Amino acid sequence: DINRLTRLSEFAWRIEPVNGMRVPVIIYADEALISEMDEKVAEQAANVTKLPGIIGACYAMPDAHWGYGFPIGGVAAFDALQGGVVSAGGVGFDISCGVRTLYTGLKREQIEPLKTVLADALYATVPVGVGSRGKIRLSPTEMDEMLTGGAEWAVKQGYGRPEDLERIEERGRMAGARPEAVSSHAKERQRAEMGTLGSGNHYLEIQEVSEIYDPAIAAAFGLAQGDVVVTIHCGSRGLGHQIGTDFLKRMQGAAAQYGIALPDRELACAPIESPVGQEYLGAMRAAINCALANRQIITHLTRKVFAEILPEARLDLLYDVSHNTCKVEEHLVQGRKKLVYVHRKGATRAFGPGHPDLPMVFRETGQPVLIGGSMGTASYILAGTADSETLSFASACHGAGRAMSRHQAVRTWSGREVVDQLAARGIIVRSPSWRGVAEEAPGAYKDVHDVVIAADRAGLARLVAQVKPIVCIKG
Ligand code: 5GP
Ligand code: MN
Ligand code: MN
């Protein structure tokens, strides 16, 4: 209900705290995005503000849409000292789903004659699709090592290069993981899924830098017009999903036990300091490591493919960002620095210039913020801003966001038609599922350009470069 919204600026809207809301809701969007935004976003965000210990506001990013309990594109921070909670639904099922981009060091003209060969080789090498299995099988000890070691573990196993780690959030290894808090069922589901892309929205894309908006930051990021990059989007596969499922159930019990009134059953949560809360955080951090290791292994597979077809390709890492996490971070709250538990669900961390957690290469620019579009439109690279600290606990959008349900998309397009139309535009798509392609048709997403413009103008992150797809390997 748009009438409940007060307009703060051209790109920000507010819902006052009423009826048990502890803090306001702030939505970042322009007028067109807000009027088309899923009505559930405001309702779900308002419900989140009723949870104990929430601070500041519940924020919705310009790509926000309905999610399980919390909206996707939602950010909420909680204070452990004020009875704050942690919620599995506030992180999402695909824990640490995220995006990484690699430089090839090549130009469009060098890729063009080989794009079909590359598409076929990547499709043959990187396992994709529902329940796809990789070649790696981890023993129980190795599983635990992976869950505590993340991408650092993967590099030690020979998947990738030590210098990759510097360019991954948490330097490739999330501290505080507790493999013993991960159920054996979750580990079992992951046994054959290391180094697999997964289904649907996950992708491996060869892209061309098609536009530069901020030449100085683009240069600092090592990006120039016509450069070819590779982007990988995937998460923690079966393991993360099972942890989400396990703890959702346990948090429903915990919420009742601690007398937390849930405005919606799907907002199941537990006090941060409770045993269930602590176990979830430990398991979730293990899943973050699983996702980091997974993207690292897929990077290794990608490098192998390029080494055979275009050995001059560098495939150095630009950066790896996650968009489904809960992290303990220091933020300014009413003028004072405080440790808070920031849930980002379908939202990208967007630390600005000078942030001490950033590697030196990004200290002056802010971190790269990697935003997916669709297989038929552009995607974007932004940079974190100093302003995002007070605007959104240093967070930005993570994609275009769905405009249409998967079900509706399947009724609107056929997968074959989508692939043919993209091929006619020079974009090669490989996917095991026609249905999956239809669900992910470019028209099922919001206009990603509008979304990133809103993020830029609202001050959440700065537009740096646009990339366009050449090859898309689709789950
Ligand atoms: P999610 O993590 O919410 O599943 O997806 C993140 C974003 O990725 C979506 O909002 C969408 O904009 C984008 N996306 C989905 N499929 C593709 C694709 O095949 N290629 C690109 N470049 N982006 C995609
Ligand atoms: Mn994702
Ligand atoms: Mn995902």
Side-chain angles (χ1 to χ4, degrees):
D1 179 2
I2 196 162
N3 297 321
R4 284 173 68 201
L5 296 169
T6 318
R7 192 165 196 166
L8 296 177
S9 70
E10 202 180 335
F11 296 96
W13 308 75
R14 176 183 166 105
I15 303 173
E16 292 306 322
V18 291
N19 300 334
M21 291 169 64
R22 297 166 196 256
V23 292
V25 167
I26 308 274
I27 305 177
Y28 295 107
D30 65 14
E31 190 155 358
L33 284 168
I34 203 113
S35 59
E36 285 161 25
M37 199 174 272
D38 190 340
E39 284 170 24
K40 284 274 184 194
V41 170
E43 187 185 319
Q44 291 193 315
N47 282 337
V48 171
T49 69
K50 297 176 183 173
L51 297 177
I54 186 164
I55 52 174
C58 177
Y59 299 102
M61 303 294 110
D63 57 332
H65 55 101
W66 173 91
Y68 185 92
F70 287 59
I72 293 166
V75 176
F78 295 83
D79 183 353
L81 302 177
Q82 288 180 40
V85 293
V86 59
S87 169
V91 170
F93 282 98
D94 192 4
I95 297 168
S96 198
C97 188
V99 184
R100 65 164 53 183
T101 293
L102 307 156
Y103 310 101
T104 64
L106 304 173
K107 292 287 184 187
R108 170 85 197 219
E109 312 80 74
Q110 292 167 277
I111 292 281
E112 193 56 35
L114 289 166
K115 64 184 182 185
T116 308
V117 176
L118 280 166
D120 289 333
L122 287 166
Y123 186 62
T125 306
V126 179
V128 297
V130 182
S132 54
R133 296 158 70 89
K135 291 204 171 123
I136 301 166
R137 297 288 178 279
L138 300 182
S139 71
T141 317
E142 290 166 329
M143 176 68 70
D144 286 2
E145 284 167 3
M146 181 276 288
L147 293 175
T148 41
E152 190 184 285
W153 169 86
V155 169
K156 276 192 207 134
Q157 305 301 306
Y159 305 114
R161 312 165 183 161
E163 59 269 29
D164 294 337
L165 299 175
E166 172 82 352
R167 287 167 177 264
I168 302 174
E169 287 180 342
E170 317 298 336
R171 289 186 168 70
R173 178 181 180 276
M174 185 74 215
R178 289 174 55 184
E180 76 280 6
V182 178
S183 68
S184 49
H185 186 32
K187 291 175 183 171
E188 186 49 41
R189 280 183 66 177
Q190 192 59 25
R191 237 176 67 76
E193 293 198 341
M194 290 312 295
T196 65
L197 200 63
S199 59
N201 47 347
H202 301 116
Y203 59 88
L204 188 162
E205 240 168 50
I206 303 177
Q207 303 160 324
E208 173 191 9
V209 176
S210 44
E211 189 126 19
I212 299 284
Y213 304 99
D214 188 319
I217 300 183
F221 283 180
L223 298 167
Q225 182 92 23
D227 282 359
V228 172
V229 296
V230 173
T231 296
I232 297 165
H233 172 224
C234 65
S236 51
R237 308 290 292 109
L239 182 116
H241 199 277
Q242 190 58 43
I243 291 171
T245 309
D246 292 343
F247 279 91
L248 218 52
K249 210 182 282 166
R250 292 181 60 189
M251 284 178 173
Q252 251 142 21
Q257 184 190 339
Y258 292 95
I260 301 169
L262 295 180
D264 172 355
R265 256 176 69 86
E266 295 184 357
L267 292 178
C269 58
I272 290 164
E273 306 287 9
S274 68
V276 176
Q278 288 296 308
E279 276 184 53
Y280 175 70
L281 286 166
M284 182 214 51
R285 289 168 185 150
I288 291 179
N289 282 328
C290 177
L292 298 180
N294 198 35
R295 290 196 285 276
Q296 189 63 34
I297 295 167
I298 293 173
T299 299
H300 172 76
L301 297 175
T302 304
R303 285 171 174 161
K304 265 180 50 178
V305 167
F306 272 85
E308 281 172 22
I309 297 168
L310 272 164
E312 62 272 44
R314 281 166 41 206
L315 296 162
D316 296 331
L317 186 54
L318 164 61
Y319 205 44
D320 179 302
V321 299
S322 294
H323 50 231
N324 281 352
T325 58
C326 175
K327 289 191 177 173
V328 188
E329 295 169 4
E330 196 173 57
H331 286 284
L332 268 182
V333 180
Q334 286 164 342
R336 289 179 44 205
K337 287 201 166 170
K338 212 174 201 180
L339 275 185
V340 295
Y341 289 71
V342 186
H343 294 69
R344 293 188 184 90
K345 179 185 189 178
T348 309
R349 197 189 75 179
F351 284 164
H355 197 288
D357 287 358
L358 291 182
M360 284 321 285
V361 280
F362 301 131
R363 280 286 166 89
E364 281 180 26
T365 54
Q367 75 168 83
V369 173
L370 308 174
I371 310 289
S374 79
M375 56 188 156
T377 58
S379 296
Y380 292 85
I381 298 171
L382 288 76
T385 62
D387 286 347
S388 68
E389 169 63 27
T390 46
L391 290 171
S392 57
F393 293 109
S395 315
C397 54
H398 85 307
R402 293 198 79 88
M404 196 187 273
S405 70
R406 294 198 158 87
H407 192 70
Q408 205 180 339
V410 168
R411 279 181 315 196
T412 313
W413 294 284
S414 91
R416 203 175 286 265
E417 187 180 85
V418 171
V419 168
D420 288 348
Q421 280 167 7
L422 290 171
R425 290 171 45 205
I427 303 167
I428 316 264
V429 177
R430 293 283 181 273
S431 171
S433 161
W434 294 113
R435 187 188 167 89
V437 170
E439 287 177 349
E440 294 292 315
Y445 284 96
K446 300 187 204 191
D447 186 328
V448 64
H449 190 72
D450 294 346
V451 169
V452 294
I453 289 284
D456 175 285
R457 301 296 190 269
L460 306 175
R462 252 179 105 75
L463 258 174
V464 175
Q466 180 194 63
V467 296
K468 285 196 166 154
I470 302 170
V471 168
C472 180
I473 309 300
K474 199 67 177 140

